[in-house]
Amino acid sequence: MFSMKLFCAAVLLVGASAMHIQWELEPVELNEEYRYPVNDVYQDFEYQHPSYVARSRARRQAQGSLTFNGDGSAGLGAKVPLVGNDRNVLSAIGSVNLDDRMKMASKGIGLAFDNANGHGVSVMKETIPGICPTFHVPNFNTVGGGLDYTYNNKVGASLGMAHTPFLQRKDYSAMGNLNVFRSPTSTVDFSAGFKKFDTPFVSSGWKPNFGLTFGRSF
């Protein structure tokens, strides 16, 4: 399944090149499935915590990405510059996250600030399809943020955190990023690190996490 996803991604990249569309690296989210007690009844809850991949440099171009994660999930990301110059850029960001069955698990919007020295900071709010606020379930929305650094467009690191108020759940990620291919029109990046979540009921502990991102900009 994973090799088939990589093949499909390669086909998409070739097609995008033919149309002269450029994309680049973007935040993605990683899928986990847990059960939480709600009014003494366990409820299946699928949540994707944002994992922020380091930016390469400040760019005043619209960007997008396609990422495949080691657990079989995937993510689509987009970034559109709002204001800035050659040194600093403030952008709107968005994401759609798919579980290992390629069904939408969550979607999010937010803001990202990047500068030419390789530093970046971002904030994002996620919503989970099919879960609506009610008297018993007041807020399943998730708010997250990340800090990023990239050196010489080649190696980078990122820290991410997200909070889901109703579940009293906090998610953390610490990732390293390596650019394995770069051209004027595309990038391929490998990321690896650790993630965990904490709730009043259970803590996952730090677990390995990795992903492969195909990016272009235009």
Side-chain angles (χ1 to χ4, degrees), residues 24 36 59 81 149 170 188 196:
E24 189 161 279
Y36 294 89
R59 300 188 63 173
Y149 177 73
K170 293 182 179 179
V188 178
K196 76 168 185 174

Side-chain angles (χ1 to χ4, degrees), residues 85-96:
N85 51 40
D86 291 338
R87 300 292 300 175
N88 303 288
V89 177
L90 178 67
S91 304
I93 56 176
S95 65
V96 174

Side-chain angles (χ1 to χ4, degrees), residues 81-137:
L82 300 176
V83 294
N85 51 40
D86 291 338
R87 300 292 300 175
N88 303 288
V89 177
L90 178 67
S91 304
I93 56 176
S95 65
V96 174
N97 306 287
L98 309 175
D99 61 21
D100 56 2
R101 294 165 293 180
M102 293 296 104
K103 294 182 179 180
M104 187 168 70
S106 66
K107 57 184 178 180
I109 57 173
L111 293 172
F113 176 81
D114 303 285
N115 69 29
N117 294 326
H119 299 89
V121 61
S122 57
V123 293
M124 178 172 281
K125 180 179 180 181
E126 288 189 288
T127 57
I128 301 168
I131 299 181
C132 301
T134 67
F135 177 79
H136 298 292
V137 186

Side-chain angles (χ1 to χ4, degrees), residues 52-83:
Y52 296 90
V53 181
R55 280 76 170 167
S56 59
R57 61 185 181 276
R59 300 188 63 173
R60 298 192 65 180
Q61 294 176 294
Q63 303 168 25
S65 68
L66 172 62
T67 297
F68 297 111
N69 302 308
D71 59 4
S73 62
L76 300 172
K79 177 190 287 186
V80 179
L82 300 176
V83 294

Side-chain angles (χ1 to χ4, degrees), residues 130-159:
I131 299 181
C132 301
T134 67
F135 177 79
H136 298 292
V137 186
N139 184 6
F140 265 94
N141 290 337
T142 297
V143 178
L147 296 174
D148 314 287
Y149 177 73
T150 301
Y151 175 73
N152 200 29
N153 292 334
K154 189 64 177 179
V155 295
S158 64
L159 297 174

